[in-house]
Amino acid sequence: MSPTVTQAILPIAGLGTRFLPWTKAVPKEMLPIGTRPIIALIVDECLEAGIRDICFVISKGKEVIPRYFRRDDALEKELSKRGKGDLLDELRKYDEVRFHVVYQEEQLGDGHAILQAEAWVESEEVAILFGDDLFVGGESGLRQLLRGYEETAGEGERAVLAVENVPRDRTNRYGIIDVAGNYADSKRLWRVKGLVEKPAPGRAPSTLGIVGRYLIPRSTFRMLRTTHSGTNDGEIRLIDALKGQLTSLPVFGYECEGKRLDTGTPEGYVDAAKHIWP
Ligand code: UTP
């Protein structure tokens, strides 16, 4: 896999209002899929794609997330005494990962959350994984995205977004890309000429919706700093920053294969828990 993308930001500071009142006390990212929390499946997706440098952007009260990945010597000692070697392997999986935590003090949008990690980014590009989307069967979304990144290497600095062909009556739930055709002779890679946040079905320029995985260059952070969403709520969104870069930065959509599950709603979560039973 791509050796150039070595860092990932996981913005998981959102309030999770669709899961209230549960999220008053427990972050939705800690909901279990089998015996693992959702966030562990997302971290595992990073590891599987060769990324071992991970920054969580959390809000106050979500400290249980980084704690889940921290080594617990007392528990490991006890498990080893009881001969539970398989469980020990699962726990030690994260020993070689560099985890970092930053706070988003106010929920001012996903782009604002990503900005909190700017100082931590060392590489020229970084992967962004939102907390709700999971990929099952076949290749993960991140792995596919990295392939799209490699295929577009000749373009220099660029952004690649994971997209999926969504039903037209659901375009108002996604950021939708407006395409300028396929890239080279790839059937999965699209050149992006426009981005529209949650358009009504009749106004959507395509049915290709962005699904929670991005590879962005450093320059996107500069754009995020000067971007405010045009929706009057003052939020800073990643999609608006990328929209602002469209004239100066090649942006691509990579149409992911396989099944994606959206755990961001109670119904979606139930569906995901049924599909994935590790
Ligand atoms: P969502 O739009 O799904 O918001 O955020 P949410 O808070 O998670 O859930 P609802 O809509 O209130 O139920 C998409 C991603 O961006 C993060 C979220 O944690 C999620 O991973 N996010 C969003 C932040 O980190 N900070 C924000 O201010 C907003």
Side-chain angles (χ1 to χ4, degrees), residues 79-92:
L79 288 175
S80 150
K81 219 161 74 186
R82 296 183 188 195
K84 307 255 183 198
D86 48 338
L87 278 174
L88 273 176
D89 290 344
E90 171 68 24
L91 297 182
R92 287 181 179 154

Side-chain angles (χ1 to χ4, degrees), residues 65-183:
I65 295 175
R67 197 187 317 141
Y68 174 86
F69 295 95
R70 215 168 289 148
R71 196 177 172 137
D72 184 337
D73 288 330
L75 177 62
E76 287 190 19
K77 211 168 145 196
E78 191 56 34
L79 288 175
S80 150
K81 219 161 74 186
R82 296 183 188 195
K84 307 255 183 198
D86 48 338
L87 278 174
L88 273 176
D89 290 344
E90 171 68 24
L91 297 182
R92 287 181 179 154
K93 187 161 80 177
Y94 303 114
D95 283 0
E96 304 303 313
V97 185
R98 282 210 304 161
F99 288 110
H100 188 73
V101 179
V102 296
Y103 279 88
Q104 184 189 26
E105 304 287 345
E106 264 186 289
Q107 277 63 54
L108 295 176
D110 55 52
H112 179 261
I114 292 163
L115 262 183
Q116 310 314 304
E118 183 179 9
W120 168 83
V121 177
E122 292 165 349
S123 50
E124 285 311 307
E125 59 283 292
V126 64
I128 310 285
L129 292 89
F130 286 149
D132 291 341
D133 287 314
L134 296 177
F135 291 80
V136 289
E139 268 189 320
S140 74
L142 184 55
R143 226 170 211 279
Q144 296 186 55
L145 206 53
L146 287 170
R147 179 150 4 88
Y149 196 70
E150 275 170 12
E151 281 176 36
T152 51
E155 299 291 318
E157 190 187 64
R158 62 212 180 278
V160 187
L161 328 176
V163 297
E164 182 183 284
N165 207 354
V166 301
R168 184 158 279 276
D169 63 359
R170 292 188 165 212
T171 56
N172 57 355
R173 300 178 180 202
Y174 296 87
I176 299 289
I177 64 170
D178 190 1
V179 298
N182 284 104
Y183 177 71

Side-chain angles (χ1 to χ4, degrees), residues 159-163 171 174-180 190-200 203-206 208-211 213-216 220 223 227 230-231 237-247 249-254:
V160 187
L161 328 176
V163 297
T171 56
Y174 296 87
I176 299 289
I177 64 170
D178 190 1
V179 298
W190 300 92
R191 277 186 188 278
V192 176
K193 66 171 179 185
L195 291 160
V196 194
E197 177 72 335
K198 302 183 175 161
R203 304 181 74 107
S206 78
L208 293 168
I210 306 171
V211 288
R213 305 284 185 269
Y214 304 72
L215 292 173
I216 59 166
T220 302
M223 186 55 88
T227 302
T231 56
R237 299 212 177 88
L238 178 56
I239 188 171
D240 293 314
L242 290 167
K243 208 191 293 185
Q245 287 192 288
L246 279 173
T247 51
L249 178 80
V251 178
F252 300 95
Y254 189 88

